[in-house]
Amino acid sequence: MASTADIKNGVVLSIDGQLWTVIEFQHVKPGKGGAFVRTKLKNVTTGKTVDRTYNAGAKIDITNVDRRDYQYLYQDGADFVFMDTSDYDQITIPGPVVGEAANFMLENQNVTVALHEGSPLYVELPASVVLEITYTEPGLQGDRSTGGTKPATVETGYQIQVPLFLETGTKVKVDTRTGDYLGRVND
């Protein structure tokens, strides 16, 4: 058993038979009373976020989660097929486990898959990816970079908001956590 001193961002805890990952934590030492640790936890399977407070030195159950590099190969119906880059084994991950990451994954892209006792928990992408705009309405004469945004569909089929001056075929950098446009990419 570990204690609250071992809590770090990204650590997976087992609480009441469910797995929770630590998003944020803060050690608090008030002037009066005992120290405690404030945490923000995210349920690995459901995505629900909760705040939880522990007394300093309390025992917690840290679970070993294996994070491995995989390459995304293709989509098979609602499932996604990945290949382990170290031993070339292929695994199939259901769509709900992949979740929002599917909006930003291109074939042959490297991702990190978190496994617990052989079963996949979630798929981690890099903070940003480069995607090509496959469709957007043409900008009107007089549109400027500070004028506003318009919807654009990227090559994965996901729709993002981009500045008015961007055209179909432009490569853009997209934040994988929020789906926001980060900038244009020049080849």
Side-chain angles (χ1 to χ4, degrees), residues 3-171:
S3 73
T4 55
D6 300 316
I7 292 178
K8 293 177 180 46
N9 288 344
V11 168
V12 178
L13 306 176
S14 178
I15 303 169
D16 300 330
Q18 293 186 326
L19 297 177
W20 299 80
T21 185
V22 177
I23 299 171
E24 295 175 12
F25 74 99
Q26 179 183 22
H27 291 278
V28 180
K29 176 81 173 93
K32 190 176 183 182
F36 58 91
V37 179
R38 243 187 233 128
T39 62
K40 183 180 266 190
L41 305 172
K42 180 179 178 184
N43 190 309
V44 171
T45 52
T46 64
K48 179 182 174 185
T49 307
V50 298
D51 293 324
R52 191 147 182 181
T53 304
Y54 295 96
N55 289 329
K59 298 295 181 200
I60 56 172
D61 188 12
I62 293 181
T63 304
N64 186 20
V65 173
D66 187 21
R67 289 181 172 86
R68 288 191 181 171
D69 292 330
Y70 280 82
Q71 185 178 35
Y72 169 55
L73 297 178
Y74 58 91
Q75 186 171 358
D76 183 20
D79 298 336
F80 295 83
V81 179
F82 294 85
M83 177 183 68
D84 191 333
T85 56
S86 61
D87 61 9
Y88 307 110
D89 282 346
Q90 290 185 8
I91 62 168
T92 301
I93 300 178
V97 173
V98 175
E100 293 290 314
N103 296 327
F104 308 105
M105 287 189 320
L106 293 174
E107 291 182 359
N108 301 322
Q109 180 179 354
N110 289 333
V111 299
T112 302
V113 176
L115 301 162
H116 175 64
E117 297 175 355
S119 63
L121 298 175
Y122 56 89
V123 175
E124 284 180 3
L125 293 174
S128 64
V129 292
V130 175
L131 299 171
E132 186 175 330
I133 296 175
T134 56
Y135 177 77
T136 187
E137 295 290 331
L140 300 173
Q141 184 65 25
D143 287 343
R144 299 289 176 253
S145 61
T146 59
T149 61
K150 63 182 178 179
T153 305
V154 293
E155 55 191 311
T156 60
Y158 187 66
Q159 196 171 54
I160 63 171
Q161 292 293 319
V162 298
L164 295 169
F165 63 87
L166 290 180
E167 301 172 354
T168 300
T170 305
K171 291 190 176 193

Side-chain angles (χ1 to χ4, degrees), residues 130 132 169-172 184-187:
V130 175
E132 186 175 330
T170 305
K171 291 190 176 193
V172 294
R184 195 168 27 175
V185 176
N186 298 323
D187 289 338

